[in-house]
Amino acid sequence: MELTYIKAINSALHEEMQRDENVFVMGEDVGELGGAFKATEGLLEAFGEERVIDTPISEALIIGAGIGAAVLGMRPVLEMQFADFISCAFDQIVNSAATLRYRHGGRAQCPIVVRAPSGAGIHGALFHSQNPEAWFTRVPGLKVVAPATAYDAKGLLKSAIRDNNPVIYFEHKRLYRSVKENLPEGDFTVPIGVAELRKEGADLSVITYGGTLAPALDAAKIVEKEDRLSVEVLDLRTLLPLDREAILATARKTGKVLIVHEDRLTGGIGGEVAAIICEHAFEYLDAPVRRLAALDTHTAFSPPLEEVILPNTNKIVDAIRNLAAY
Amino acid sequence: MELTYIKAINSALHEEMQRDENVFVMGEDVGELGGAFKATEGLLEAFGEERVIDTPISEALIIGAGIGAAVLGMRPVLEMQFADFISCAFDQIVNSAATLRYRHGGRAQCPIVVRAPSGAGIHGALFHSQNPEAWFTRVPGLKVVAPATAYDAKGLLKSAIRDNNPVIYFEHKRLYRSVKENLPEGDFTVPIGVAELRKEGADLSVITYGGTLAPALDAAKIVEKEDRLSVEVLDLRTLLPLDREAILATARKTGKVLIVHEDRLTGGIGGEVAAIICEHAFEYLDAPVRRLAALDTHTAFSPPLEEVILPNTNKIVDAIRNLAAY
Amino acid sequence: MAQPEGARVATEPAARVEQELQLYYWMKLIRAFEERVSRLHRQNKIFGGVYSGAGQEAIVAGVCAPLRDGDFVAPLHRDLGVFLVRGVDPGRLMAQLMGKETGLSRGKDSFLHGGDLERGIFGSTSMLGSSLPIAVGAALKFKMKREKNIAVAFFGEGASSRGDVHEAMNFAGVQKLPVLFVCENNRYAYSTPLEKQMAIEDVADRAEAYGFRGHVVSGNDLLAVLEVTERVVAKIRNGEGPALIECKTYRYRGHSEHDAALYRDQEELIEWQSRDPIPGYELFLEKKGHDLKRVREQIDERTQKVVQAAVEYAEQSPFPKPEEALEDLFAPALAAAPKK
Amino acid sequence: MAQPEGARVATEPAARVEQELQLYYWMKLIRAFEERVSRLHRQNKIFGGVYSGAGQEAIVAGVCAPLRDGDFVAPLHRDLGVFLVRGVDPGRLMAQLMGKETGLSRGKDSFLHGGDLERGIFGSTSMLGSSLPIAVGAALKFKMKREKNIAVAFFGEGASSRGDVHEAMNFAGVQKLPVLFVCENNRYAYSTPLEKQMAIEDVADRAEAYGFRGHVVSGNDLLAVLEVTERVVAKIRNGEGPALIECKTYRYRGHSEHDAALYRDQEELIEWQSRDPIPGYELFLEKKGHDLKRVREQIDERTQKVVQAAVEYAEQSPFPKPEEALEDLFAPALAAAPKK
Ligand SMILES: Cc1ncc(C[n+]2csc(CCOP(=O)(O)OP(=O)(O)O)c2C)c(N)n1
Ligand SMILES: Cc1ncc(C[n+]2csc(CCOP(=O)(O)OP(=O)(O)O)c2C)c(N)n1
Ligand SMILES: [Mg+2]
Ligand SMILES: [Mg+2]
């Protein structure tokens, strides 16, 4: 069945709520409205007000209450209306949730999923375009995923819901309706912690995730055709824990790595990935590990600014050519 | 005059409040108590209740109100009682403050200083040991400093107060009374954005800051004596913006770099530093860039756990020897 | 109330008469401007999030009228009117919405996030409620500097559920700060009705829990809003501490231009539209002896002209240049500091 | 009140008499345990932050007594007594404070941050107020699952200024959740006196702003705390929604063991020490006909034994092994998921 990325999310929620009566969703406008992006559409009708809970505008409460329910065995899926507002629940995530099991000496668990619609390129400006993933990828006790395909959106959400640990699930708004895919019928999951090789190649590796997977694949096709460059594209999918094996395998194979993400350069996850490669695949490198990312500023509103700030296919093509020529 | 690190902070506050009547301090227990660590001791007596404001336990309010006063020309110095609680004010810092000038098209400014007592090694456990700097070093519009000496503690705090932008000032609790120094009389500042070479060397560079500067210097001395290794030690001092020139200069000079910080490995600022070096000093590297940092977990309480989690002189010595032997 | 109609305009002070008309002009200008914004949004000339304040004009006009230069105002996302009433050039405001170089934020941010501090307007972030601590900080500055200004923070009943609102009000109460909190209670936060947001009826009841007074007023009644604001603001300026005014109102359009608001009852909308602030105020003008027909024509003509000119100005304004993306991030540090 | 003394013990149900003594034992045990903790802290056997609840024992005992298995309690940093009253082994608790392997958190975290969910005790973070949303979530679970349990969240008057507290109470009110909020108002947050924390006198006044009832009680009067809690808890269990009980009390020692509390007036301390909950309750026991001298001796002996045994257990317990630093971070994921 062909499903968009957002429908894939929606169907994962339906199926998991069906499968396990301890799964419930909570957030702003998730009920009758079905969420600002319709991710929770139909859930209210199917599962009722007790399992599809509209909250006041209280992000810290949403996460905190989710934690309280989770330690008692529930599996809440908590929606931030936009990932940008996760800053308002920051303490609950990085302190209450991430340390919960540790400070209970392993005798408690916190199976919450935080769904965070993130990403730019939709004229969302400073507060509806953020890619906050790297705030969380430095927090032990959390898992962080960022699907780029409809298949992964569904499969990773299912894994996140079934995981006994807090998982931050970044879904990219620009992909909601632009990405469509034939998904298998029936239950399937995508494992957390496993990257996916989207394209094999020999000359150079692009490592990316989320909103920049599609432009990276486009760029790979362009340089393949125009420059006869064979480019490998690795989709990280999970950002914490990183799939170090897959990262190092592609780096060792091609010796030239370009890391691409829509998040800003400085402090983006690319730094961590580059550091891992430079430490553990040093002898294999034929060129410096390069990063292409959003400029080190906020995601401005006006189209010419947004355009120059964000990475895109052309910029990736240029970066690939540059690196290949090293 | 010999001053401890905490006294250096205190004297910077006194002098800046004397110098500029728009400077004021605000936070929990900063008045009569003089702050949990006595950083604001004597300020109430000298400047009165209007400029030394005890607040309720409301971290978001502390930062937010500071911002409101700052856009109208004040220069608030805002104290988080422990850096750990900065998570409760996260949104105000990363959204309200960091984007303020940008979203006002350059026609406003936000000269706040957030003082955040951070760092481990004092049996502070999960919530009184955090090193949260890397949450902020990925936020455009902020500056982030982390002094390691009494001189820098004073000089950087003065620069931060005089800076027209929001500055997050991480002071390391373990250094408060363990670090003492003769400071010059009279006014001096330390520029934001400039790293300091603490020790010259030829064989290998250690790049560090804050709580791990002293152990790094100790380690450098040990390997110099015992292994005849000449180690260069660079103290970053400012974490945003990084002093790229200084970082690249030492990397190019020695060709072997060990980055050390007390913050955790994954997502710590070391990844960014390593990535910069690997991209821009690639040809000069004789070995992989290595990182030594806290283990990827929370800072546990029990002494054997804290010990194994945190970096220390011995671990740095080992890492230097390993890298030198590469 | 028994004076002969038609006679008043002549006998009252000119300033009062002028203010009466000015208030009318503002409400009409806000409505006309926002209608045009909706249209431009449908035409893809304005993009991103656009939030209409249609139906709530009396609040903005009535609260801002008694304010002075130097007062600090933090509007909510629906308060485009604040910009107009406080004297922001309509052309620059329209340019702001279109992401143009001449906009308040020079194209950096969208809609109302670009402030104009020269006119005492703070550009809030999207994070609802987060501007209240900031307004409180502005008030703190006024108190510290013995300035007779006040700070005003607008917020929706939805935002009232945020922790920041609590922290801000509590501190304002402790410090007796010159700040006015204005809650625009339009009964919905996006799709979420009042009863899912709070177990009480009046947000104003919260004020007493912070040690100051809360007032409830019909937000669709300009005179009522004006009257209570004038009274309350005078007290605040006088050093009597903060206050809260809750304005009961209703949002005509969807939450944003993207929202068809199907979750609402049509009856409810009609009921509230029959409380429209503009006809109500027109009745007042008539009773006060104004020639309503003429006044309305004149003012409609004027608002249309102003809006049209604003659109033209904005459309003719250039977009920012790409290299400006990295500008406006940092203010110059004060002094070049000597190195150790 | 005019019944002959000494006769009651015989005529009342044995369970009641037992509870009376049990409550006394708890208060005495908490005090003895905490005194020992202070001493061990001075001897450097317990390190890190240690916060004494001396003077506030009646609150913990009176609130926890009516609770049942399956109820969820989030204590504040001063509520060591919650652990004892809810049946945590004193030895394990002491081991927790010493960072030992046998402690609740296996040495991972300090003081009261290690919870014991088997006994319904949540280990809170240090971030004051952040446990209230969590308790509310526990209550949400009870409601969803039609369980007759309740959640209890303790917090200081200082923590009441945090945004999380507001968000939690508001949502609890909206959803009519089975949660009891207990404010231990000891007039200081660290060094900050009440009047710098809030412009009102009673935190309980906030409850109504969230649509439920607030009760004020002397927190140094065990019987009063018990009485109001029993009454309120019965209602909450009955589905009548949340409630707040504010217990007026005083902290005897400094904020933490590091704090000499020089900012306080000695007179104030003496005044409050004269309201000590233990002698007050002893008077009650006497009036009820217990042989106080004997009871006191027995119970002192028992608490000393228990505390001594706890210390010995904790001291003999090993520290965790270094490699355990990386344990307990993640729970095993439920199912091994097949790869695409
Ligand atoms: C902290 C935060 N959470 C969620 C949102 C998304 N959001 C934008 S407006 C809105 C509803 C606001 O309701 P209210 O405060 O009543 O103002 P109104 O739109 O009704 O004028 C929501 C949920 C936001 N902007 N900020
Ligand atoms: C969010 C947060 N800010 C600051 C602190 C530091 N702190 C620990 S206890 C305390 C005072 C608490 O006062 P109160 O809530 O009244 O409880 P009490 O200590 O009086 O029992 C403070 C400020 C903290 N733990 N958490
Ligand atoms: Mg509303
Ligand atoms: Mg207190």
Side-chain angles (χ1 to χ4, degrees), chain B residues 28 59 81 85, chain D residues 77-78 126 128 156-159 186 188-189 255:
Chain B
E28 295 152 15
E59 280 74 13
Q81 197 158 85
F85 308 138
Chain D
H77 53 285
R78 223 169 277 296
S126 280
L128 294 170
E157 90 295 340
N186 60 10
Y188 286 87
H255 164 65

Side-chain angles (χ1 to χ4, degrees), chain A residues 28-29 56-59 80-82 85 88 127-128, chain B residues 91, chain C residues 51-52 56 76-79 125-130 155-160 162 184-192 197 251 255:
Chain A
E28 294 152 16
D29 307 293
I57 303 174
S58 303
E59 280 75 11
M80 300 281 97
Q81 195 157 83
F82 283 80
F85 308 138
C88 300
F127 307 113
H128 291 76
Chain B
D91 173 60
Chain C
Y51 308 86
S52 162
Q56 306 182 202
L76 69 77
H77 53 284
R78 225 169 274 297
D79 291 336
T125 71
S126 280
M127 288 67 189
L128 293 169
S130 72
F155 65 108
E157 90 294 341
S160 77
R162 283 273 343 277
E184 303 187 43
N185 184 343
N186 61 10
R187 309 196 68 81
Y188 286 87
Y190 203 155
S191 74
T192 307
Q197 299 184 53
R251 194 188 79 200
H255 164 65

Side-chain angles (χ1 to χ4, degrees), chain A residues 91, chain B residues 28-29 56-59 80-82 84-88 127-128, chain D residues 51-52 56 76-79 125-130 155-162 183-192 197 251 254-256:
Chain A
D91 173 59
Chain B
E28 295 152 15
D29 308 293
I57 303 174
S58 302
E59 280 74 13
M80 300 281 98
Q81 197 158 85
F82 283 80
D84 309 63
F85 308 138
I86 207 166
S87 55
C88 300
F127 308 113
H128 292 75
Chain D
Y51 308 87
S52 161
Q56 306 181 202
L76 69 74
H77 53 285
R78 223 169 277 296
D79 290 337
T125 71
S126 280
M127 288 65 190
L128 294 170
S130 72
F155 64 109
E157 90 295 340
S160 78
S161 302
R162 282 272 345 275
C183 180
E184 303 187 44
N185 184 344
N186 60 10
R187 309 196 69 82
Y188 286 87
Y190 204 155
S191 74
T192 308
Q197 298 184 54
R251 192 187 81 201
H255 164 65
S256 74

Side-chain angles (χ1 to χ4, degrees), chain C residues 24-155:
Chain C
Y24 184 57
Y25 169 69
W26 277 335
M27 285 206 292
K28 296 282 281 185
L29 177 64
I30 298 167
R31 178 141 320 164
F33 196 101
E34 290 199 321
E35 273 170 9
R36 190 60 176 267
V37 168
S38 297
R39 193 132 50 89
L40 289 163
H41 187 267
R42 284 193 299 277
Q43 297 166 345
N44 270 322
K45 290 188 175 166
I46 291 176
F47 34 81
V50 164
Y51 308 86
S52 162
Q56 306 182 202
E57 298 87 348
I59 301 170
V60 161
V63 169
C64 289
L67 301 185
R68 297 185 191 155
D69 279 3
D71 288 342
F72 180 96
V73 184
L76 69 77
H77 53 284
R78 225 169 274 297
D79 291 336
L80 184 144
V82 166
F83 292 75
L84 295 172
V85 175
R86 298 226 11 112
V88 172
D89 176 73
R92 278 188 73 204
L93 182 57
M94 196 60 91
Q96 164 67 18
L97 308 193
M98 290 189 184
K100 295 300 183 78
E101 171 68 37
T102 52
L104 298 174
S105 73
R106 301 182 65 216
K108 296 300 195 305
D109 209 343
S110 63
F111 205 53
L112 307 188
H113 301 301
D116 183 354
L117 284 164
E118 275 173 46
R119 281 165 196 80
I121 302 175
F122 182 74
S124 302
T125 71
S126 280
M127 288 67 189
L128 293 169
S130 72
S131 58
L132 273 75
I134 292 167
V136 163
L140 184 66
K141 187 258 181 174
F142 297 144
K143 186 183 166 203
M144 286 167 81
K145 294 292 183 181
R146 313 256 181 287
E147 290 167 6
K148 280 279 166 209
N149 289 115
I150 72 163
V152 180
F154 289 90
F155 65 108

Side-chain angles (χ1 to χ4, degrees), chain D residues 20-333:
Chain D
E20 278 168 14
L21 292 176
Q22 185 64 35
L23 285 164
Y24 184 56
Y25 169 69
W26 277 335
M27 285 205 294
K28 296 281 280 186
L29 177 64
I30 299 168
R31 177 139 326 161
F33 197 102
E34 290 198 322
E35 272 170 10
R36 190 63 175 269
V37 168
S38 297
R39 197 134 47 90
L40 289 163
H41 188 266
R42 283 192 300 277
Q43 296 167 343
N44 269 322
K45 291 188 175 166
I46 290 176
F47 34 82
V50 164
Y51 308 87
S52 161
Q56 306 181 202
E57 296 88 348
I59 301 170
V60 162
V63 169
C64 289
L67 301 184
R68 298 184 192 158
D69 280 1
D71 288 342
F72 180 96
V73 183
L76 69 74
H77 53 285
R78 223 169 277 296
D79 290 337
L80 184 143
V82 167
F83 291 75
L84 295 173
V85 175
R86 299 228 6 113
V88 173
D89 176 75
R92 278 187 73 205
L93 183 58
M94 196 61 91
Q96 164 68 15
L97 307 194
M98 291 189 184
K100 295 298 182 77
E101 172 68 37
T102 52
L104 298 174
S105 73
R106 301 182 65 216
K108 296 301 196 304
D109 209 342
S110 64
F111 206 52
L112 307 188
H113 301 301
D116 183 353
L117 284 164
E118 275 173 47
R119 282 164 196 79
I121 302 174
F122 182 74
S124 301
T125 71
S126 280
M127 288 65 190
L128 294 170
S130 72
S131 58
L132 273 75
I134 291 167
V136 163
L140 183 67
K141 186 259 180 175
F142 296 144
K143 187 184 166 203
M144 286 168 80
K145 294 290 183 183
R146 314 258 182 285
E147 290 168 6
K148 280 280 166 209
N149 289 115
I150 73 164
V152 180
F154 288 90
F155 64 109
E157 90 295 340
S160 78
S161 302
R162 282 272 345 275
D164 281 27
V165 171
H166 171 71
E167 297 193 3
M169 290 193 183
N170 183 51
F171 185 69
V174 171
Q175 294 273 340
K176 277 189 154 271
L177 297 178
V179 55
L180 171 64
F181 301 107
V182 180
C183 180
E184 303 187 44
N185 184 344
N186 60 10
R187 309 196 69 82
Y188 286 87
Y190 204 155
S191 74
T192 308
L194 208 54
E195 63 273 18
K196 287 192 174 173
Q197 298 184 54
M198 59 191 76
I200 56 173
E201 185 58 30
D202 297 331
V203 175
D205 286 352
R206 299 245 163 100
E208 277 181 35
Y210 303 114
F212 51 88
R213 271 207 58 189
H215 308 260
V216 177
V217 66
S218 162
N220 287 27
D221 181 339
L222 175 59
L223 295 172
V225 173
L226 185 67
E227 187 274 327
V228 67
T229 307
E230 278 174 343
R231 197 155 38 85
V232 166
V233 163
K235 285 192 183 177
I236 297 174
R237 255 192 237 291
N238 205 27
E240 296 181 33
L244 189 159
I245 300 176
E246 176 179 7
C247 304
K248 304 287 194 184
T249 188
Y250 199 78
R251 192 187 81 201
Y252 288 171
R253 299 184 62 83
H255 164 65
S256 74
E257 293 299 309
H258 298 99
D259 173 30
L262 300 175
Y263 43 82
R264 289 195 313 199
D265 188 20
Q266 203 56 21
E267 282 298 303
E268 191 182 69
L269 174 60
I270 291 170
E271 180 188 327
W272 276 95
Q273 281 174 326
S274 71
R275 295 188 192 111
D276 193 288
I278 294 178
Y281 191 72
E282 287 175 340
L283 207 54
F284 164 76
L285 289 179
E286 260 190 321
K287 298 265 177 210
K288 287 291 299 259
H290 292 280
D291 177 349
L292 180 63
K293 195 162 164 286
R294 226 201 51 208
V295 166
R296 191 197 281 138
E297 271 172 21
Q298 281 175 345
I299 281 188
D300 280 347
E301 199 187 19
R302 192 169 147 216
T303 58
Q304 287 313 323
K305 258 199 206 133
V306 168
V307 170
Q308 184 56 31
V311 173
E312 281 164 20
Y313 174 82
E315 291 198 322
Q316 281 158 22
S317 291
F319 279 113
K321 293 191 214 45
E323 57 271 28
E324 291 176 32
L326 293 174
E327 290 175 10
D328 299 335
L329 205 47
F330 288 101

Side-chain angles (χ1 to χ4, degrees), chain C residues 257-327:
Chain C
E257 293 299 309
H258 298 98
D259 172 31
L262 301 175
Y263 44 81
R264 288 195 315 199
D265 187 22
Q266 204 55 22
E267 282 300 303
E268 190 182 69
L269 174 60
I270 291 170
E271 179 188 327
W272 276 94
Q273 280 174 327
S274 71
R275 295 189 192 112
D276 193 288
I278 294 178
Y281 192 70
E282 285 176 340
L283 206 56
F284 164 76
L285 290 180
E286 258 190 321
K287 298 266 177 211
K288 286 294 299 264
H290 291 281
D291 178 348
L292 179 63
K293 194 160 166 284
R294 226 200 52 208
V295 166
R296 190 197 281 138
E297 273 171 22
Q298 281 176 346
I299 280 187
D300 280 347
E301 197 185 21
R302 193 168 146 216
T303 58
Q304 287 313 323
K305 258 199 203 133
V306 169
V307 171
Q308 185 54 32
V311 174
E312 280 164 22
Y313 174 82
E315 291 198 321
Q316 281 157 25
S317 291
F319 279 113
K321 292 190 215 47
E323 58 269 29
E324 291 175 30
L326 293 174
E327 291 175 9

